[in-house]
Amino acid sequence: TATVPGKGKKCSLCTKILEQIKAMAGDNPDEAAVEAALGKACRALGKRLGRLCKRLVRKYREQISEALQNGDEPQDTCVTIGFCKA
């Protein structure tokens, strides 16, 4: 996994996880679509990333859900929850 310079590993993992969730939620997802995607995405990411994904989702479910419904970029969401530096 190539990490973006100056972003750090936590940031790139967060972004990757959120991109996966976003892809599974589809365009303009409603709350139900987001909820379904949150579960599916973590399983799709494999064991190591999946564990991190589940932790991230458990802790920031509300922010992630809101961000997806607002159409925010994964990178911006990761900045909001403190995984990336703005």
Side-chain angles (χ1 to χ4, degrees), residues 17-28:
I17 289 167
L18 264 84
E19 279 167 355
Q20 178 77 33
I21 296 170
K22 186 178 179 167
M24 289 190 156
D27 294 329
N28 299 321

Side-chain angles (χ1 to χ4, degrees), residues 50-63:
R51 273 203 303 270
L52 184 71
C53 178
K54 286 193 183 88
R55 269 208 310 269
L56 197 77
V57 168
R58 244 200 324 269
K59 201 167 176 188
Y60 301 106
R61 171 171 246 125
E62 216 145 279
Q63 289 99 316

Side-chain angles (χ1 to χ4, degrees), residues 22-42:
K22 186 178 179 167
M24 289 190 156
D27 294 329
N28 299 321
D30 56 14
E31 206 165 326
V34 170
E35 283 299 315
L38 288 174
K40 278 201 310 238
C42 290

